[in-house]
Amino acid sequence: MSVLDKVQSPKDLKKLDPSELDELCSEIRELLVETVSENGGHLASNLGVVELTVALHRVFSSPFDQIVFDVGHQCYTHKLLTGRKDDFSTLRKEGGISGFTRPNESEHDIFSSGHSSVAISQAMGLAKAKKLKGEKGKVIAVVGDGALTGGLAYEALNNGGEGNDNLIIIINNNNMSISKNVGTVSKHLTTVRTSKKYFTFKSKARHFIAKIPKIGVHINRMLTAINSRIRKRVYKNATLFEDLGFRYYGPIDGHNIENLEAAFYAAKAHTHSVLIYVNTIKGRGYDPAEKNPTQFHGIGKFNVATGEPDSTSEGFSSAFGDTVCSIAEKDSRICCITAAMASGTGLDRFSELYPKRFFDVGIAEQHAVTFSSGLARNGLVPIFAVYSTFLQRSYDQLIHDVAMQNLKVIFAVDRAGLVGEDGESHQGVFDVSFFNSIPNITVFSPSCYDELSLMLGQAIYHCDGAAVIRYPRGTQKEMPEGYTYRKENYTVYGDTNSKNCIITYGREFSECYAALQSLEDTFLIKLNKIKPIDENILDLIKKAKKVFFFEESLTAGGVGEILGAMLEENAIRVKYRHIAVKNEFVKQATVQSQLKTYSLDRESIIREVSNGKKNKA
């Protein structure tokens, strides 16, 4: 029996002999690499926290002690140790376990996760609730250093040090350094301070001194002040956390279980909020991931022996990156902004060619939008490339700092629409709805690479105010033979005197056009600009008897809903069906399966138009 087979719950982990832990970690890493190579997922971050997660579950008692993972994309080992090993082969598959923490999977998952910089705030709330209710147990937030580029994390730190004696924050430095190496002395001091003998002696000594009549309390205060000064002199930059009210331990080798357990036991015994600083290596134990953690941050299927991905198709992100480089070559006003996603959004080449005009602001989408507004106000043309799911975080800035100011900021919204196996937290089905609610914004939705390039040019040079180019994840689908985009607001296919009219945009056009080939008495309107809708299409629509609007967006606030209101306002009486994503969170599955679920694939479109039955998705 393997060591991992002995662990069905965190309680079993505590029974293991320390001599078995190295083998356990090796087995976990082997399973992580094997599973992600087949299912895709986040590999480098998970390989980096194996020992950290093992130590956490050996020292603390989940779910009595609540562990919150920031982002949650590093929770695979946590899942293996909390009873989900037998289901791990279903990771990120339809009906399987999620690649993030999900409370509906296990009592050990405290929050549904997927976005960064939230765990400290969540942990503070959990800790405060425990205290108010008189409940025992610690709350532990596990936060990657990248999450500390997000403002929410600092808002929480500013509020979290004082009065949270059951709160422990673990900062996992696995990529960028918060402060420079604090040296041998600090490492030695940390080792001493986290030893059980030291902590026991310190506690007994303070208790004894406190009993000395009249002067005991004053002596303890003086010793505390001296202790604080020594720590500040040794730890230097790390005293940011001390100044915020935390007891600080670190740096600690995040791959040394003995040292980790010692630090966790010390934190567990504390009567004050604690922050532990841990160093780990992303991709630990799998050479390709260690050498290229960015590539293996989120990856599809790959060859375990070589580390090479199964598919190297370029996709919309690369097409955007190539286009923006071409435009920037001729226009020195063009700047690009990313929120820690240069590779994911196709901006690697731009960052190399135009480093002075490239700004990676970290995981700080709110700042990215407002920063872009400042660039625009002083005459530059900022292009903020961002995943749809992360742009949600800057809704207020979109309204107040861009649209209300009527500034020309271009939003390249990647991963728009259904995104597949990342599940509920990453679907790009909300952006259409919130863009529709904001004045002074023009929205384009390309169906292919050529359209993306031309629409980006339109947005920069022919739109007043802010403009959006939203495009899907992955590669373009099949387009009509000889198709050419001529910068029109919409294009029409088929006889406009037909009784059935299909309307769509973006990637969904390919599904609708394929369906059109099997439908009789039907024509198709492809929207290229989806906000504002060109009112000239109303003259085409009113000729039809039945109108079907298909879109990869939420029903509420979708383009189809806006068009439905326009039909009503203009007293156009047609049978109107709006087929879109129901107002729910989209579960993990392949994109094609998700399209089928919401009646957006070719076969479902044919069925809907042929018989007009109500969508039962």
Side-chain angles (χ1 to χ4, degrees), residues 120 139-141 143 157 167-171 246 274-277:
I120 301 175
V139 180
I140 307 99
V143 183
L157 284 171
L167 175 66
I168 299 170
I169 297 171
I170 299 170
I171 304 295
F246 292 90
V274 178
L275 190 143
I276 303 172
Y277 186 81

Side-chain angles (χ1 to χ4, degrees), residues 403-419:
M404 193 181 295
Q405 316 293 331
N406 201 27
L407 292 169
K408 181 177 282 298
V409 177
I410 310 301
F411 296 92
V413 181
D414 203 330
R415 270 66 166 177
L418 300 166
V419 301

Side-chain angles (χ1 to χ4, degrees), residues 376-498:
R377 176 62 76 193
N378 268 359
L380 298 180
V381 181
I383 302 174
F384 178 28
V386 59
Y387 289 7
S388 172
T389 183
F390 300 134
L391 184 61
Q392 297 162 188
R393 312 185 83 185
S394 51
Y395 182 64
D396 175 70
Q397 288 70 33
L398 284 166
I399 295 172
H400 186 273
D401 300 327
V402 175
M404 193 181 295
Q405 316 293 331
N406 201 27
L407 292 169
K408 181 177 282 298
V409 177
I410 310 301
F411 296 92
V413 181
D414 203 330
R415 270 66 166 177
L418 300 166
V419 301
E421 293 86 349
D422 279 338
E424 296 97 314
S425 58
H426 280 59
Q427 306 299 334
V429 295
F430 299 97
D431 63 272
V432 168
S433 299
F434 65 70
F435 281 131
N436 273 330
S437 70
I438 305 174
N440 295 346
I441 292 182
T442 302
V443 184
F444 297 90
S445 189
S447 303
C448 62
Y449 306 150
D450 286 344
E451 285 187 343
L452 188 157
S453 298
L454 292 169
M455 288 176 180
L456 185 57
Q458 284 181 269
I460 294 170
Y461 299 111
H462 301 289
C463 284
D464 294 327
V468 176
I469 317 294
R470 63 181 309 275
Y471 44 91
R473 180 182 190 178
T475 57
Q476 65 182 12
K477 292 192 173 184
E478 188 173 351
M479 297 291 288
E481 186 176 352
Y483 173 74
T484 302
Y485 172 60
R486 296 183 177 84
K487 301 182 182 179
E488 61 268 71
N489 291 337
Y490 61 89
T491 50
V492 181
Y493 299 86
D495 183 356
T496 56
N497 292 312
S498 301

Side-chain angles (χ1 to χ4, degrees), residues 325-596:
C325 284
S326 297
I327 296 173
E329 183 180 5
K330 303 169 186 175
D331 190 340
S332 61
R333 300 175 303 154
I334 302 298
C335 299
C336 283
I337 301 94
T338 181
M341 298 295 290
S343 295
T345 57
L347 286 177
D348 278 344
R349 184 163 161 255
F350 185 96
S351 68
E352 294 169 2
L353 292 175
Y354 309 105
K356 292 183 179 179
R357 291 190 269 157
F358 173 75
F359 308 99
D360 186 342
V361 301
I363 305 174
E365 293 83 4
Q366 292 170 291
H367 167 60
V369 173
T370 303
F371 171 68
S372 297
S373 74
L375 293 173
R377 176 62 76 193
N378 268 359
L380 298 180
V381 181
I383 302 174
F384 178 28
V386 59
Y387 289 7
S388 172
T389 183
F390 300 134
L391 184 61
Q392 297 162 188
R393 312 185 83 185
S394 51
Y395 182 64
D396 175 70
Q397 288 70 33
L398 284 166
I399 295 172
H400 186 273
D401 300 327
V402 175
M404 193 181 295
Q405 316 293 331
N406 201 27
L407 292 169
K408 181 177 282 298
V409 177
I410 310 301
F411 296 92
V413 181
D414 203 330
R415 270 66 166 177
L418 300 166
V419 301
E421 293 86 349
D422 279 338
E424 296 97 314
S425 58
H426 280 59
Q427 306 299 334
V429 295
F430 299 97
D431 63 272
V432 168
S433 299
F434 65 70
F435 281 131
N436 273 330
S437 70
I438 305 174
N440 295 346
I441 292 182
T442 302
V443 184
F444 297 90
S445 189
S447 303
C448 62
Y449 306 150
D450 286 344
E451 285 187 343
L452 188 157
S453 298
L454 292 169
M455 288 176 180
L456 185 57
Q458 284 181 269
I460 294 170
Y461 299 111
H462 301 289
C463 284
D464 294 327
V468 176
I469 317 294
R470 63 181 309 275
Y471 44 91
R473 180 182 190 178
T475 57
Q476 65 182 12
K477 292 192 173 184
E478 188 173 351
M479 297 291 288
E481 186 176 352
Y483 173 74
T484 302
Y485 172 60
R486 296 183 177 84
K487 301 182 182 179
E488 61 268 71
N489 291 337
Y490 61 89
T491 50
V492 181
Y493 299 86
D495 183 356
T496 56
N497 292 312
S498 301
K499 72 174 183 179
N500 296 321
C501 173
I502 296 174
I503 309 174
T504 192
Y505 61 89
R507 172 171 57 185
E508 182 62 13
F509 167 69
S510 294
E511 298 287 341
C512 289
Y513 184 79
L516 182 68
Q517 310 313 305
S518 301
L519 291 167
E520 297 179 351
D521 209 8
T522 303
F523 71 101
L524 169 62
I525 300 175
K526 174 186 182 299
L527 298 181
N528 300 316
K529 183 190 289 185
I530 61 175
K531 181 178 185 288
I533 299 172
D534 189 329
E535 293 190 3
N536 288 320
I537 70 167
L538 298 179
D539 291 332
L540 300 175
I541 293 172
K542 66 184 181 183
K543 298 178 183 179
K545 292 184 177 179
K546 295 180 182 178
V547 178
F548 302 84
F549 198 110
F550 295 90
E551 65 177 317
E552 273 186 67
S553 173
L554 286 187
T555 303
V559 182
E561 185 176 86
I562 301 298
L563 181 61
M566 290 171 65
L567 293 175
E568 183 67 26
E569 289 170 5
N570 287 274
I572 297 175
R573 306 303 178 195
V574 294
K575 281 192 173 182
Y576 184 66
R577 290 270 292 113
H578 181 200
I579 299 94
V581 177
K582 292 171 63 177
N583 295 325
E584 62 189 22
F585 295 106
V586 179
K587 293 181 169 54
Q588 66 193 45
T590 64
V591 169
Q592 202 57 38
S593 178
Q594 290 170 340
L595 290 172
K596 184 176 181 180

Side-chain angles (χ1 to χ4, degrees), residues 169-171 173 178-183 186-187 189-191 193-194 198 202 227 231-232 234-252 263 266-267 270 272-279:
I169 297 171
I170 299 170
I171 304 295
N173 175 21
I178 296 169
S179 58
K180 292 183 178 180
N181 194 318
V182 290
S186 66
K187 289 180 181 178
L189 182 58
T190 295
T191 301
R193 292 174 67 220
T194 55
Y198 168 79
K202 179 180 175 182
N227 189 19
R231 287 200 307 272
K232 286 186 177 184
V234 173
Y235 289 117
K236 297 178 181 175
N237 292 344
T239 56
L240 162 68
F241 304 119
E242 295 261 348
D243 291 341
L244 290 172
F246 292 90
R247 293 292 182 265
Y248 174 85
Y249 293 106
I252 294 168
H270 241 295
H272 202 285
S273 53
V274 178
L275 190 143
I276 303 172
Y277 186 81
V278 174
N279 286 317

Side-chain angles (χ1 to χ4, degrees), residues 304-318:
V304 174
T306 65
E308 292 297 317
D310 283 1
S311 174
T312 56
S313 56
E314 296 299 312
F316 278 92
S317 301
S318 295

